[in-house]
mmCIF file of all heavy atoms in Angstrom:
data_model
loop_
_atom_site.group_PDB
_atom_site.id
_atom_site.type_symbol
_atom_site.label_atom_id
_atom_site.label_comp_id
_atom_site.label_asym_id
_atom_site.label_seq_id
_atom_site.Cartn_x
_atom_site.Cartn_y
_atom_site.Cartn_z
ATOM 1 N N CYS D 95 13.908 -2.197 -27.520
ATOM 2 C CA CYS D 95 13.714 -2.618 -26.132
ATOM 3 C C CYS D 95 13.921 -1.478 -25.141
ATOM 4 O O CYS D 95 13.473 -1.569 -23.995
ATOM 5 C CB CYS D 95 14.678 -3.755 -25.788
ATOM 6 S SG CYS D 95 14.402 -5.290 -26.685
ATOM 7 N N TRP D 111 8.883 2.076 -13.223
ATOM 8 C CA TRP D 111 8.988 0.894 -14.083
ATOM 9 C C TRP D 111 8.834 -0.334 -13.206
ATOM 10 O O TRP D 111 9.683 -0.593 -12.346
ATOM 11 C CB TRP D 111 10.352 0.913 -14.774
ATOM 12 C CG TRP D 111 10.520 0.020 -15.972
ATOM 13 C CD1 TRP D 111 11.512 -0.891 -16.167
ATOM 14 C CD2 TRP D 111 9.729 -0.038 -17.161
ATOM 15 N NE1 TRP D 111 11.403 -1.502 -17.387
ATOM 16 C CE2 TRP D 111 10.301 -1.001 -18.022
ATOM 17 C CE3 TRP D 111 8.573 0.631 -17.581
ATOM 18 C CZ2 TRP D 111 9.767 -1.318 -19.270
ATOM 19 C CZ3 TRP D 111 8.044 0.320 -18.820
ATOM 20 C CH2 TRP D 111 8.640 -0.635 -19.646
ATOM 21 N N PRO D 112 7.754 -1.111 -13.367
ATOM 22 C CA PRO D 112 7.544 -2.299 -12.529
ATOM 23 C C PRO D 112 8.724 -3.267 -12.599
ATOM 24 O O PRO D 112 9.362 -3.411 -13.637
ATOM 25 C CB PRO D 112 6.275 -2.925 -13.114
ATOM 26 C CG PRO D 112 5.566 -1.795 -13.778
ATOM 27 C CD PRO D 112 6.646 -0.898 -14.304
ATOM 28 N N ARG D 113 8.971 -3.946 -11.502
ATOM 29 C CA ARG D 113 10.107 -4.868 -11.414
ATOM 30 C C ARG D 113 10.059 -5.953 -12.489
ATOM 31 O O ARG D 113 11.090 -6.271 -13.106
ATOM 32 C CB ARG D 113 10.116 -5.505 -10.022
ATOM 33 C CG ARG D 113 11.146 -6.604 -9.830
ATOM 34 C CD ARG D 113 11.191 -7.035 -8.386
ATOM 35 N NE ARG D 113 11.980 -8.239 -8.213
ATOM 36 C CZ ARG D 113 12.437 -8.676 -7.044
ATOM 37 N NH1 ARG D 113 12.179 -7.976 -5.949
ATOM 38 N NH2 ARG D 113 13.135 -9.776 -6.957
ATOM 39 N N THR D 114 8.886 -6.502 -12.738
ATOM 40 C CA THR D 114 8.761 -7.560 -13.746
ATOM 41 C C THR D 114 9.138 -7.055 -15.131
ATOM 42 O O THR D 114 9.893 -7.706 -15.867
ATOM 43 C CB THR D 114 7.317 -8.108 -13.777
ATOM 44 O OG1 THR D 114 6.981 -8.607 -12.479
ATOM 45 C CG2 THR D 114 7.196 -9.242 -14.790
ATOM 46 N N LEU D 115 8.640 -5.866 -15.503
ATOM 47 C CA LEU D 115 8.969 -5.298 -16.804
ATOM 48 C C LEU D 115 10.446 -4.940 -16.878
ATOM 49 O O LEU D 115 11.069 -5.038 -17.944
ATOM 50 C CB LEU D 115 8.112 -4.058 -17.073
ATOM 51 C CG LEU D 115 6.614 -4.305 -17.301
ATOM 52 C CD1 LEU D 115 5.892 -2.983 -17.560
ATOM 53 C CD2 LEU D 115 6.391 -5.261 -18.452
ATOM 54 N N CYS D 116 11.000 -4.537 -15.752
ATOM 55 C CA CYS D 116 12.430 -4.216 -15.703
ATOM 56 C C CYS D 116 13.262 -5.463 -16.017
ATOM 57 O O CYS D 116 14.210 -5.409 -16.795
ATOM 58 C CB CYS D 116 12.784 -3.683 -14.323
ATOM 59 S SG CYS D 116 14.478 -3.078 -14.167
ATOM 60 N N LEU D 117 12.894 -6.601 -15.429
ATOM 61 C CA LEU D 117 13.608 -7.854 -15.675
ATOM 62 C C LEU D 117 13.431 -8.318 -17.118
ATOM 63 O O LEU D 117 14.366 -8.831 -17.740
ATOM 64 C CB LEU D 117 13.128 -8.935 -14.706
ATOM 65 C CG LEU D 117 13.477 -8.725 -13.229
ATOM 66 C CD1 LEU D 117 12.816 -9.791 -12.362
ATOM 67 C CD2 LEU D 117 14.986 -8.739 -13.030
ATOM 68 N N ILE D 118 12.220 -8.138 -17.661
ATOM 69 C CA ILE D 118 11.968 -8.520 -19.059
ATOM 70 C C ILE D 118 12.827 -7.673 -19.990
ATOM 71 O O ILE D 118 13.446 -8.184 -20.935
ATOM 72 C CB ILE D 118 10.476 -8.375 -19.402
ATOM 73 C CG1 ILE D 118 9.648 -9.419 -18.644
ATOM 74 C CG2 ILE D 118 10.245 -8.516 -20.913
ATOM 75 C CD1 ILE D 118 8.147 -9.243 -18.781
ATOM 76 N N GLN D 119 12.852 -6.362 -19.743
ATOM 77 C CA GLN D 119 13.684 -5.472 -20.562
ATOM 78 C C GLN D 119 15.154 -5.850 -20.466
ATOM 79 O O GLN D 119 15.868 -5.908 -21.479
ATOM 80 C CB GLN D 119 13.490 -4.027 -20.127
ATOM 81 C CG GLN D 119 14.268 -3.032 -20.980
ATOM 82 C CD GLN D 119 14.285 -1.633 -20.400
ATOM 83 O OE1 GLN D 119 14.719 -1.445 -19.257
ATOM 84 N NE2 GLN D 119 13.811 -0.663 -21.164
ATOM 85 N N MET D 120 15.620 -6.133 -19.252
ATOM 86 C CA MET D 120 17.011 -6.520 -19.042
ATOM 87 C C MET D 120 17.340 -7.783 -19.834
ATOM 88 O O MET D 120 18.392 -7.870 -20.479
ATOM 89 C CB MET D 120 17.263 -6.763 -17.548
ATOM 90 C CG MET D 120 18.722 -6.938 -17.174
ATOM 91 S SD MET D 120 18.914 -7.486 -15.453
ATOM 92 C CE MET D 120 18.057 -6.176 -14.585
ATOM 93 N N PHE D 121 16.430 -8.763 -19.805
ATOM 94 C CA PHE D 121 16.653 -10.011 -20.542
ATOM 95 C C PHE D 121 16.726 -9.757 -22.044
ATOM 96 O O PHE D 121 17.639 -10.240 -22.724
ATOM 97 C CB PHE D 121 15.538 -11.009 -20.241
ATOM 98 C CG PHE D 121 15.605 -12.257 -21.079
ATOM 99 C CD1 PHE D 121 16.465 -13.291 -20.748
ATOM 100 C CD2 PHE D 121 14.822 -12.386 -22.222
ATOM 101 C CE1 PHE D 121 16.546 -14.442 -21.532
ATOM 102 C CE2 PHE D 121 14.892 -13.520 -23.011
ATOM 103 C CZ PHE D 121 15.763 -14.549 -22.666
ATOM 104 N N LEU D 122 15.772 -8.997 -22.571
ATOM 105 C CA LEU D 122 15.717 -8.760 -24.015
ATOM 106 C C LEU D 122 16.949 -8.016 -24.514
ATOM 107 O O LEU D 122 17.508 -8.352 -25.565
ATOM 108 C CB LEU D 122 14.446 -7.979 -24.365
ATOM 109 C CG LEU D 122 13.121 -8.719 -24.157
ATOM 110 C CD1 LEU D 122 11.950 -7.778 -24.433
ATOM 111 C CD2 LEU D 122 13.035 -9.958 -25.051
ATOM 112 N N VAL D 123 17.393 -6.998 -23.761
ATOM 113 C CA VAL D 123 18.566 -6.220 -24.180
ATOM 114 C C VAL D 123 19.820 -7.084 -24.163
ATOM 115 O O VAL D 123 20.577 -7.131 -25.136
ATOM 116 C CB VAL D 123 18.753 -4.989 -23.269
ATOM 117 C CG1 VAL D 123 20.090 -4.302 -23.546
ATOM 118 C CG2 VAL D 123 17.615 -3.997 -23.485
ATOM 119 N N HIS D 124 20.030 -7.800 -23.064
ATOM 120 C CA HIS D 124 21.242 -8.625 -22.959
ATOM 121 C C HIS D 124 21.197 -9.809 -23.927
ATOM 122 O O HIS D 124 22.236 -10.212 -24.467
ATOM 123 C CB HIS D 124 21.417 -9.124 -21.522
ATOM 124 C CG HIS D 124 21.940 -8.083 -20.589
ATOM 125 N ND1 HIS D 124 23.279 -7.793 -20.480
ATOM 126 C CD2 HIS D 124 21.303 -7.243 -19.731
ATOM 127 C CE1 HIS D 124 23.453 -6.831 -19.587
ATOM 128 N NE2 HIS D 124 22.267 -6.474 -19.124
ATOM 129 N N TYR D 125 20.006 -10.347 -24.146
ATOM 130 C CA TYR D 125 19.884 -11.492 -25.057
ATOM 131 C C TYR D 125 20.192 -11.061 -26.491
ATOM 132 O O TYR D 125 20.930 -11.741 -27.212
ATOM 133 C CB TYR D 125 18.473 -12.071 -24.976
ATOM 134 C CG TYR D 125 18.305 -13.389 -25.699
ATOM 135 C CD1 TYR D 125 19.010 -14.516 -25.293
ATOM 136 C CD2 TYR D 125 17.431 -13.511 -26.781
ATOM 137 C CE1 TYR D 125 18.852 -15.737 -25.941
ATOM 138 C CE2 TYR D 125 17.276 -14.722 -27.433
ATOM 139 C CZ TYR D 125 17.983 -15.830 -27.010
ATOM 140 O OH TYR D 125 17.846 -17.024 -27.667
ATOM 141 N N ALA D 126 19.631 -9.930 -26.903
ATOM 142 C CA ALA D 126 19.900 -9.427 -28.257
ATOM 143 C C ALA D 126 21.366 -9.061 -28.420
ATOM 144 O O ALA D 126 21.997 -9.396 -29.426
ATOM 145 C CB ALA D 126 19.004 -8.222 -28.565
ATOM 146 N N ILE D 175 22.150 -16.112 -20.564
ATOM 147 C CA ILE D 175 21.388 -14.892 -20.258
ATOM 148 C C ILE D 175 20.207 -15.194 -19.348
ATOM 149 O O ILE D 175 19.907 -14.421 -18.430
ATOM 150 C CB ILE D 175 20.916 -14.211 -21.566
ATOM 151 C CG1 ILE D 175 22.112 -13.870 -22.462
ATOM 152 C CG2 ILE D 175 20.123 -12.948 -21.241
ATOM 153 C CD1 ILE D 175 23.147 -12.974 -21.807
ATOM 154 N N ILE D 179 19.671 -13.413 -15.640
ATOM 155 C CA ILE D 179 18.486 -12.615 -15.270
ATOM 156 C C ILE D 179 17.687 -13.303 -14.168
ATOM 157 O O ILE D 179 17.116 -12.642 -13.298
ATOM 158 C CB ILE D 179 17.603 -12.362 -16.509
ATOM 159 C CG1 ILE D 179 18.426 -11.727 -17.629
ATOM 160 C CG2 ILE D 179 16.419 -11.468 -16.145
ATOM 161 C CD1 ILE D 179 19.159 -10.458 -17.246
ATOM 162 N N VAL D 182 19.004 -12.379 -10.884
ATOM 163 C CA VAL D 182 18.576 -11.028 -10.494
ATOM 164 C C VAL D 182 17.151 -11.075 -9.945
ATOM 165 O O VAL D 182 16.824 -10.375 -8.974
ATOM 166 C CB VAL D 182 18.652 -10.060 -11.691
ATOM 167 C CG1 VAL D 182 18.155 -8.671 -11.290
ATOM 168 C CG2 VAL D 182 20.068 -9.969 -12.223
ATOM 169 N N GLY D 183 16.301 -11.910 -10.541
ATOM 170 C CA GLY D 183 14.912 -12.024 -10.102
ATOM 171 C C GLY D 183 14.755 -12.531 -8.686
ATOM 172 O O GLY D 183 13.727 -12.298 -8.048
ATOM 173 N N CYS D 198 16.968 -0.674 -17.510
ATOM 174 C CA CYS D 198 17.395 -1.548 -16.410
ATOM 175 C C CYS D 198 18.696 -2.248 -16.771
ATOM 176 O O CYS D 198 18.686 -3.353 -17.327
ATOM 177 C CB CYS D 198 16.300 -2.563 -16.097
ATOM 178 S SG CYS D 198 14.805 -1.816 -15.417
#
Side-chain angles (χ1 to χ4, degrees):
C95 295
W111 197 232
R113 173 173 170 164
T114 302
L115 291 180
C116 186
L117 292 174
I118 292 173
Q119 183 191 57
M120 190 189 303
F121 173 81
L122 293 175
V123 171
H124 283 277
Y125 190 63
I175 302 302
I179 306 305
V182 178
C198 293

